[in-house]
Every structure is written in C-alpha cells, then in structure tokens.
Amino acid sequence: MSAGENIRHDSANTHVTGKSAFIDDRVMMHGEVFVGIITSKCAKGKLKSIDFSKALEVSGVIAGYKASDFVSNSWGTIVHDQPLLVDEQVSHFDEPLALLACENKESFDLAKGLVGVVIEEEEATLSLDVAIEKKEFLYTATSFKRGDEPLEIIKKSQFFLEGDFFSGGQEHFYLESQSSIAYPLDDGGIEIHSSSQHSTETQHVVAHALGLPLNKVACIVKRMGGGFGGKESQPAAFAAYSALIAKKLNRSARVVLTKDDDMKTTGKRHPVKTFYKISFDEKGKITAFWADIYSDGGAFTDVSPSILERTMFHIDGAYFLPSVCINASACKTNYPSNTAFRGFGGPQGTIIIESIIEDIASTLGIDALKVREVNCYRDENNITPYHQVVENNTLPELFTQLKKDSSYEKRREEINLFNKQNKGVLKGLSFTAVKFGIAFTARHLNQGNALVNIHLDGTIEASTGATEMGQGVNTKIAQIISEVFGLDATKVKMMATSTQRNANTSPTAASSGSDINGAAAHKASLLIKKRLQNVAWRKMNDFPFSTNEEYSLEDIEKSTRLEFINGMIIDKVENKQISFEETINIAYLNRISLCDYSHFRTEGLGFDKTIGKGKAFNYFTNGVVVTEVSVDEYTGEMKVLKSDILMDLGRMINPGIDEGQVCGAFVQGQGWVSMENLCYSVKGELLTHSPTTYKIPTIQDIPREFTINFIENDTTDMNVRRSKAVGEPPFLLGISVFTACKNALSYRSKDTKIVSMNSPATNENLLMKLEELKA
C-alpha cells in the first residue's frame, strides 16, 4: 500500500496496547533527578529574594537553582523578552521562579512549600479591556487595506452594523504534559528528549541558556501525546530546566509536569476582542468592512505577532470584502504568554465574520445561507484584503453540493415550523465555511529537509524535521516514499526526529508538516530512484558499470521510463524486469549511493509585512459544514444534533487519517465555541486547571449524526501529490456550532433583534441570553 490509500497510523497498535513510549515512559537512569518548579503566587511584582535553606533540609532534596545559574536567562521565539526563571520582575501568576533538584517527586512535594520567596506585589493588568485602554501592546501589525475608504461607505449606507465581538481562550489539553529529560554527555554536551513540536528551537534555547555551541546540544523527539500548538514554542523552557540541572550535577534530569501544573503555567489560545463596522445591501451583500482587532498576548511576546496576523488574514473567512480596513494589536497582560493553538489565530478571525453574517441575516429577515452565498469568493470576486488572488477556488462548488446533500432548505422549513409550534426547546441551523491559508506567514519557515537511506534488504529508513504528535505525519511521509519506489509502506521506517539528522528545521505547525517534509522526502527519494533506474537499465541491457562513468546515463529516455511496481523495476516497452532488492545490491557493489538528502522550500510566496500586501499562502484548504443544534430554554443545555461536513483536500495521501483529522478538529473547534471556558481569580490565578473544572467535549457532546465527505479535486499542483493540508482547517468548521446557537436564539428575539453573544456559548451563557431576549 502506498500514497492515496488507507493504512493504519504507524503507532496504532502500540497506542491501543499501551506500548507506545512517551517521555515519562523512558527508564530512569542511575542517579537521575526529578526537577521541580517553584512558581509565583501573584500576577505581578518585584522578586526580592529566594531562600532554599529550609527546603534543602528535606531528605532527597539535592540543590536549588535560580535565574543566575543560567548563562543566558532570556528566550523567546520572535523576541527574547521572556526569562527562563524570574530574575527580578514577576509577570504572571505561576511564573517559574526557581528549580529544585530532587531524588524523586515525593521529596519535591515535601519541599516546595519550604522555599522562601519574597515578592513585592504590584497592580496587575488582568483584563483585555484595560490593556486596550492603556494601549499596552506587545505588537501592532501593519493594517490590511483594499478598495475605497470603508468608513465613508459605511457612513452613507442604508444598511450597516457596528459592535464588538469577543472570543475566549482555550486550553490545549494534550494528554502528555510538558516533559523533558536531559542526559549529560561525556564531551560536555547535552542530549534532550522533549515532547516538542520544534526540535530545532528546543535545541537553540537549551544551547543559548547553557552557553553551549549548537553542535553540543541534540534534541530528539520520538512522539508527543498531543500538541495542538501548545508544544511549538513553550517546551523549550522546560527542556532548559532539565538541561541546566543535568549540566550542573552531571546526572540525567527529568521534568514532567502534572496536568494541573501544566495548565497553570503554560499559555492558551489567544482571547480576541474585535470592534467592527460593516455595511451591506438589501440582499446581504457586504459593501464595506472595518475592524480593530485586539488579542490578549499575555505577559511576553512568544508567537503573538504571527498569530495576530493570521487572525487578520482570516477575518474575511470565505467571503469577498470589496472595501476593507483591518487593524490589529496584541495586548500585554499579566497572564502566561498565550501561544500557538490549532488554527493559529485563524479561528479567532473567521468566527467574527461568521457571527456578523448571522446578524446581517437577522437585520434583513433572511436566511443566513443566502448572505453567505452572495458573499462567497468567486472568480469575479477573488481578491483578499491582503491582495492575494484566491486561485483554484472550490468554495462555490462546496456550497452548492452540501446545500443539496444536506437537504438544507427542507431542514430550514422544518426548523421554522418546529420553533413556531414548540416551547421549551429551540433548534438552530447554520451553514458555515472555511478558507484556510496554507503556509507559514513567516516566510523563512517554509522549508524542510529529509534524509532517506535504503538498506540492502530493501527496507528504508527516513528522517525529516516533522514531529509526530498523533496526527499521522510519519505515516503519510512513509507512504510518499514507498510510492516512489513501488513498495509497501511497511518497508519504510520513519526515525525519531533529531537535530543530529535534520538541522535547522521548522516547527510542525501551520498544517504544513506533511507538505514541506513530505515534499523534501519525495525529492530525496526521486534522486535515489533516478540512480536506481540507471542501474536497472544497465543490468537489463548488459551495459557495463564503468568505474569512471558510475552515474552517467547512455540513454536517459530509456532508463527514466522504468517503473517501480510491487517490488519490481519494469521496462514495459521491452518487457523486461528486475527486482528492487537485486537492483539495490548491484548499486551497492558498484559503489552507487543508496542514500540521499534533500531540501525543499515553498516557492512563490511573497507577502510584504511592511505594506500588508502579497501572496501569503501557497494555497487554500476549503470546506463547508451544516450544523443543527437544540437549546433547552429552561436550562440552557445545548446539544449538537447533526453536522454534515464537505471538504476539498485535493488528492489525499491517506484518506483515513485525513478523515480522522477532520473529525477531531471539528470537535475541538466545537469545544472552543461552546463549552471550554477559562476562569481566573481576581488575582490572576487560573481556577479551571484540571479535568474536573475545565470541560472539553466527550463522546456525549459530539454530533449525534456526523457525516464527513470530500470532493474530488486534482487541480492543486503546488503541493506534494496534489494533496491539501488538513490539520487546522476543519477546526474552523466547529464555529458552525456557535452560529447555530445564535440562529436558535434568534427565534426568540423580538422585532428581528440581533442576538449579540460572545464565545463560548456555554449553557450558562445561552440561558442568560434567553432571559435577556425575553425582557
């Protein structure tokens, strides 16, 4: 089996049997120490002193370390503005202050309360509104502008809306918490095993913190127990903690956070508040749009600038905005630095326009689908607010097909009748779309590399910079390689990601893991394939293997026509064949390389951040969904009754894995907009820091009827195998649960009163909104 076919995830068996090894499953080395983290108990203040003396009296406590123990204490993905450990200024509750090296976790639990910490508390900024008012910004983006001045058009328009919209944060809730083990090496270097989406950044932060050259630090990532963006940047600090103690004590050191500590210490999805004005005609066609976007970046920069810009890139959703101005700033607050999360700011943009469209429909008294259809990107209206042309656009086809397949119009009539005749339960129906740009918006990250080695028994080992977090990237890359050589994918083994094999890698993020790393592996495989075609053709035709012409081709056309099929290399023209295994052994005996390395970069990108214009994305992944919900008018309880998804993923590399990604992303998006609610104390302490207080979707919450289908599309020629990325785009389809809730509540609004509601639409928020609508 090769690319385009369903094969199991390469870790499927070990996952379900419990044999998959994660960081904390690694056997403890002799003398290995447990690294415990002491954190701040206020959101802002001056650190005056740290006293380890009483803690060191506890049996099993070896040593304590502070910021001054690092050679360099600053780090950050974009700006080095974050301390590894607080040296003077406390910036958020549960910010790491100090480390305890202990014989075991039990010793740390006894000692952590004995570390003397003196902090002079200061007034913290714990509200996005306050940060906006004070203009406390981490970053302000260049505005996106296109068309005529939108505010002038809006001012003269018969139909317009203005208001604000807030979408809350979200906890990653990966199953494996932040984890790292550092092993001291005999040359003074460090080997780090980390649960990280970015092996290179982890390597760089550790080397920088310890004052080591990069070739003295190796980062290895076999797999993660989930990531969702929460392990793109933030694992690097935890790796530095374990590395510091391993270096100081010359003993292996392990950092493994509990779920509670992980949730308290790490950043979330960015909450976003947007002020907007929009005008439209009597059919709902948008004529102008203006927006001021403010994201909550937390205490430090992290990747907030890039996330903010992706919110700007996706505020248009699937809809053409003829005259537009989009402004955006990332605000500084005293919360843990918010960070990457599946969709990377895109969901926070798209939910704004989808919510506004529901309001436009309510204002005009028409079905929201009509508003979406009249504004959908089409060939005649295909320019984004940042001046990129929307090419290979399948959105109109997706709208048309799903409208028919889901029996949308019939269901709308049924829901209209149901809500008219029934009291106590409301139903809502919403049809939303996604147009998700695929590429890193930081241009230099759009590159990958791969190493492919063929062994003499016909098996293959391959290494790339992609990290496996459960999404199946290694399975897909193995299928790409096996297809090149006409082998079963089981012949290909993907190695653990390592900076010793693949350096200067990009994070596995932006839905580009399979794209850039798969393309690099494909490129390397083709280099080897070309040599093997030459070897096979020479053997078939008794052409001598000249020492001086080892890589030459007497007849390129004849050799390149050879096909690799089911372990054989075949010349269909002359009806000759030779086995793959025999060919590679002949190549080896004639000193012809069976290994190759290749580098890939995404071509054609050209977005200029200084002017807010250009081609930001390689292509767009599109999809649509129809979601039906019910809302109990007495309790606010919401149920997702049915969701029908239709997506364009081009020529899928592994349809089964892709379908799983669509399903999981939708449900995670559903959770963000309907139940996942982060609550903090007045002092800035996270209160919802465990599975008992933070609610994510369970089997009881997913749609009662759930269908996922795909269209055939062979036109995406700018990506490996004409496939399209799938990791993040379907997350945005979960927004339909929110808009369906708004639609349900609109049946109780008076005089086409707009249902102004923020996200998430929790049961409590729905109930309060129902009470408000009755007033």
Side-chain angles (χ1 to χ4, degrees):
M1 294 183 181
S2 58
E5 301 180 27
N6 284 327
I7 68 170
R8 288 182 303 191
H9 189 290
D10 63 348
S11 297
N13 285 338
T14 54
H15 279 353
V16 298
T17 58
K19 295 178 181 178
S20 293
F22 297 92
I23 297 297
D24 204 27
D25 293 318
R26 295 182 66 84
V27 176
M28 291 190 69
M29 302 287 284
H30 177 71
E32 184 170 297
V33 297
F34 177 86
V35 180
I37 305 170
I38 306 300
T39 62
S40 65
K41 298 308 168 189
C42 71
K44 186 178 182 182
K46 290 288 192 299
L47 177 62
K48 294 299 184 180
S49 64
I50 298 176
D51 182 3
F52 294 117
S53 58
K54 290 186 178 180
L56 292 171
E57 294 174 2
V58 176
S59 176
V61 178
I62 303 166
Y65 298 96
K66 298 185 289 188
S68 57
D69 288 298
F70 285 108
V71 173
S72 176
N73 190 47
S74 63
W75 75 287
T77 301
I78 298 174
V79 180
H80 286 196
D81 63 346
Q82 184 165 356
L84 290 165
L85 295 173
V86 172
D87 52 1
E88 181 179 350
Q89 181 66 51
V90 173
S91 298
H92 65 81
F93 211 102
D94 281 311
E95 184 175 8
L97 303 172
L99 308 173
L100 284 182
C102 305
E103 299 287 354
N104 48 56
K105 185 179 183 300
E106 290 72 26
S107 297
F108 172 71
D109 289 338
L110 291 172
K112 62 183 178 182
L114 299 177
V115 177
V117 176
V118 178
I119 298 174
E120 185 180 291
E121 197 165 350
E122 300 172 338
E123 184 180 354
T125 300
L126 299 173
S127 163
L128 182 54
D129 287 329
V130 171
I132 295 170
E133 184 181 346
K134 291 182 177 179
K135 298 188 183 323
E136 294 182 345
F137 301 144
L138 294 164
Y139 175 76
T140 296
T142 301
S143 299
F144 291 174
K145 296 180 180 179
R146 194 179 52 74
D148 297 329
E149 172 55 49
L151 290 178
E152 291 299 317
I153 296 172
I154 293 167
K155 191 184 298 181
K156 298 173 183 177
S157 178
Q158 178 184 357
F159 301 102
F160 68 91
L161 293 170
E162 61 179 310
D164 60 77
F165 182 82
F166 176 82
S167 59
Q170 185 179 21
E171 162 62 33
H172 299 87
F173 219 91
Y174 29 69
L175 292 180
E176 181 191 27
S177 295
Q178 298 283 355
S179 306
S180 175
I181 304 177
Y183 300 101
L185 303 177
D186 57 8
D187 64 353
I190 294 287
E191 179 177 296
I192 293 284
H193 289 255
S194 176
S195 185
S196 170
Q197 293 174 232
H198 197 180
S199 56
T200 292
E201 181 170 18
T202 300
Q203 175 201 27
H204 287 191
V205 170
V206 169
H208 185 66
L210 301 187
L212 294 173
L214 291 175
N215 66 357
K216 285 289 187 76
V217 178
C219 179
I220 299 169
V221 181
K222 181 173 178 60
R223 62 166 63 89
M224 287 162 275
F228 307 119
K231 294 178 180 175
E232 179 175 338
S233 61
Q234 301 201 356
F238 299 102
Y241 301 156
S242 61
L244 173 68
I245 292 177
K247 183 73 171 172
K248 292 284 188 180
L249 300 179
N250 198 33
R251 297 164 67 171
S252 59
R254 181 179 306 231
V255 171
V256 178
L257 299 190
T258 64
K259 177 54 68 179
D260 292 70
D261 289 341
D262 186 296
M263 293 179 71
K264 290 177 183 178
T265 308
T266 60
K268 320 298 180 194
R269 180 184 295 281
H270 289 67
V272 171
K273 186 166 188 176
T274 301
F275 299 89
Y276 64 85
K277 295 181 181 181
I278 191 166
S279 60
F280 46 94
D281 64 19
E282 67 280 359
K283 293 183 179 179
K285 189 169 185 177
I286 297 168
T287 56
F289 181 64
W290 172 92
D292 263 351
I293 303 169
Y294 297 95
S295 70
D296 186 341
F300 305 104
T301 303
D302 201 272
V303 287
S304 290
S306 297
I307 291 170
L308 179 71
E309 286 163 350
R310 192 170 277 267
T311 300
M312 299 169 71
F313 283 123
H314 288 80
I315 199 170
D316 61 332
Y319 313 107
F320 175 68
L321 305 174
S323 293
V324 60
C325 178
I326 302 166
N327 312 300
S329 295
C331 297
K332 179 181 177 67
T333 60
N334 292 114
Y335 291 111
S337 295
N338 289 314
T339 190
F341 201 129
R342 197 174 197 168
F344 204 75
Q348 294 98 307
T350 297
I351 194 173
I352 296 165
I353 194 67
E354 293 290 5
S355 179
I356 291 173
I357 285 177
E358 294 292 327
D359 295 342
I360 292 173
S362 293
T363 301
L364 298 174
I366 61 177
D367 192 318
L369 178 55
K370 294 185 183 298
V371 180
R372 291 182 167 95
E373 287 178 318
V374 78
N375 288 291
C376 175
Y377 276 106
R378 299 180 186 278
D379 290 343
E380 64 274 17
N381 294 318
N382 64 352
I383 308 295
T384 67
Y386 45 95
H387 297 256
Q388 178 169 345
V389 177
V390 180
E391 299 175 301
N392 299 310
N393 179 20
T394 56
L395 282 166
E397 176 187 348
L398 290 166
F399 266 91
T400 300
Q401 186 170 328
L402 187 61
K403 182 178 179 181
K404 177 183 176 182
D405 293 348
S406 67
S407 303
Y408 179 87
E409 293 178 338
K410 179 184 176 183
R411 289 167 66 189
R412 173 58 73 194
E413 291 176 2
E414 291 172 349
I415 286 175
N416 288 341
L417 183 61
F418 178 90
N419 288 336
K420 187 176 182 180
Q421 294 180 343
N422 290 272
K423 297 290 183 183
V425 176
L426 285 168
K427 287 186 177 181
L429 187 68
S430 187
F431 191 128
T432 68
V434 59
K435 173 187 65 66
F436 196 88
I438 304 299
F440 286 98
T441 52
R443 184 170 175 266
H444 69 278
L445 293 178
N446 294 286
Q447 60 177 310
N449 58 69
L451 175 66
V452 177
N453 299 327
I454 300 181
H455 295 288
L456 295 184
D457 63 353
T459 59
I460 299 173
E461 281 183 329
S463 305
T464 74
T467 56
E468 178 61 65
M469 64 193 88
Q471 82 280 37
V473 66
N474 282 341
T475 305
K476 284 187 172 184
I477 295 174
Q479 288 181 266
I480 291 169
I481 295 170
S482 66
E483 183 178 55
V484 170
F485 296 111
L487 302 172
D488 192 283
T490 58
K491 292 277 191 178
V492 182
K493 179 180 179 180
M494 300 301 299
M495 304 302 292
T497 308
S498 171
T499 55
Q500 293 173 314
R501 285 189 290 266
N502 299 94
N504 311 314
T505 59
S506 297
T508 304
S511 299
S512 65
S514 296
D515 283 16
I516 60 176
N517 294 286
H522 186 256
K523 195 173 176 181
S525 299
L526 289 177
L527 292 173
I528 303 172
K529 179 180 180 179
K530 184 177 180 180
R531 294 197 291 270
L532 292 179
Q533 285 175 318
N534 181 25
V535 170
W537 183 82
R538 288 171 180 267
K539 178 65 177 176
M540 289 176 185
N541 294 277
D542 297 322
F543 189 86
F545 288 86
S546 169
T547 302
N548 297 324
E549 298 179 5
E550 192 170 358
Y551 297 100
S552 66
L553 292 176
E554 184 182 88
D555 189 334
I556 294 177
E557 290 299 321
K558 288 184 178 180
S559 67
T560 56
R561 77 189 181 204
L562 302 187
E563 298 180 42
F564 290 58
I565 302 173
N566 296 327
M568 302 298 294
I569 303 176
I570 301 171
D571 184 346
K572 291 184 177 180
V573 174
E574 297 186 12
N575 196 27
K576 297 178 180 179
Q577 65 179 23
I578 185 174
S579 74
F580 178 79
E581 193 168 330
E582 182 181 354
T583 303
I584 59 176
N585 277 273
I586 293 171
Y588 170 71
L589 292 173
N590 286 279
R591 298 177 297 174
I592 296 172
S593 175
L594 297 172
C595 310
D596 225 313
Y597 165 92
S598 192
H599 177 269
F600 171 82
R601 67 178 185 181
T602 306
E603 300 289 355
L605 300 177
F607 180 76
D608 187 340
K609 288 189 177 187
T610 63
I611 60 174
K613 295 181 181 180
K615 185 178 179 182
F617 303 112
N618 190 29
Y619 61 90
F620 297 96
T621 293
N622 300 324
V624 288
V625 61
V626 175
T627 291
E628 182 178 340
V629 303
S630 68
V631 178
D632 189 306
E633 293 190 76
Y634 301 113
T635 65
E637 181 183 14
M638 186 274 292
K639 295 179 181 178
V640 183
L641 303 178
K642 186 176 183 181
S643 290
D644 300 299
I645 293 174
L646 182 64
M647 292 205 72
D648 167 21
L649 297 181
R651 287 176 56 204
M652 292 181 282
I653 296 170
N654 188 312
I657 283 178
D658 285 358
E659 184 174 351
Q661 285 291 293
V662 173
C663 178
F666 176 87
V667 173
Q668 193 173 39
Q670 168 193 338
W672 173 54
V673 301
S674 67
M675 64 180 65
E676 297 187 41
N677 196 25
L678 295 163
C679 298
Y680 296 85
S681 74
V682 293
K683 293 187 66 178
E685 180 181 12
L686 180 66
L687 300 177
T688 50
H689 56 71
S690 73
T692 58
T693 53
Y694 185 80
K695 186 178 182 184
I696 64 171
T698 69
I699 192 70
Q700 301 297 328
D701 299 301
I702 67 172
R704 273 63 176 167
E705 295 182 59
F706 200 7
T707 60
I708 299 171
N709 289 301
F710 306 93
I711 64 169
E712 293 185 10
N713 179 16
D714 200 28
T715 65
T716 310
D717 58 2
M718 68 286 291
N719 197 35
V720 60
R721 287 200 81 258
R722 297 177 181 258
S723 64
K724 283 192 172 187
V726 65
E728 293 171 294
F731 182 100
L732 283 71
L733 297 178
I735 293 168
S736 63
V737 174
F738 178 83
T739 51
C741 288
K742 284 192 66 163
N743 175 250
L745 268 58
S746 71
Y747 284 93
R748 292 293 181 260
S749 62
K750 299 174 182 178
D751 301 322
T752 65
K753 182 179 178 183
I754 291 172
V755 179
S756 297
M757 184 171 65
N758 291 323
S759 177
T762 62
N763 294 349
E764 295 88 345
N765 289 342
L766 289 171
L767 186 58
M768 288 189 287
K769 185 58 63 173
L770 281 166
E771 291 298 317
E772 180 186 314
L773 292 172
K774 291 176 184 177

